[in-house]
Every structure is written in C-alpha cells, then in structure tokens.
Amino acid sequence: LRPFRAYAGRMLARRRHVYFAMMGTCIGLFVLAWGVVRLWSIPVAVGMCVVAMVIPPVAAMVANRRGPDDRWWDDPS
C-alpha cells in the first residue's frame, strides 16, 4: 500500500506542475501579445491570444484527469 501512495503523490504533483506550467504559458502569451507583439503585428497578437484562450480548458482537463491507479469507483462519498 505504501508504494501506491508514493506513486499517487508523484502523479498528483506532476499533474499540478503541468497545470501551473500551462497556465503560466497562457499568461505569458497574453502579456507578450499585447505588450510587445501588437507593436509589430496585431493579427499575430490576436492569434497568440486565441492560442492562450484554448490553454485553460486543456490545463483543467490535464489537472483533473484520473490516473490508471486512481480508485474513484468505490469512493464511499
């Protein structure tokens, strides 16, 4: 039972790190798009914002996905 908990903790930490990396990328794209890129090309800045707009839902799916060893079907709550 102990190795399972260690594995679950590592997977949870990994998903959390991936989530924060994706959200940081999203914020970075917005800031770069409207702080720097818009001075040269507004269509490129808009394209960067469209890409940044897609990242949060994908990040939420990655963070909330169930691992292969997650036992959700027999949860008493």
Side-chain angles (χ1 to χ4, degrees):
L1 188 63
R2 192 78 172 146
F4 171 73
R5 287 186 182 209
Y7 172 78
R10 280 195 315 264
M11 288 304 294
L12 179 61
R14 181 171 181 240
R15 284 193 303 245
R16 188 172 52 234
H17 289 162
V18 170
Y19 173 79
F20 283 119
M22 291 177 78
M23 293 305 289
T25 302
C26 175
I27 291 171
L29 280 171
F30 274 120
V31 169
L32 281 174
W34 295 114
V36 178
V37 176
R38 73 171 169 87
L39 300 173
W40 289 280
S41 174
I42 291 179
V44 172
V46 170
M48 288 173 69
C49 284
V50 168
V51 170
M53 183 178 66
V54 172
I55 293 175
V58 173
M61 287 186 275
V62 167
N64 290 315
R65 118 179 136 226
R66 299 280 184 179
D69 292 333
D70 288 343
R71 300 185 64 181
W72 55 271
W73 60 88
D74 59 353
D75 187 17
S77 62

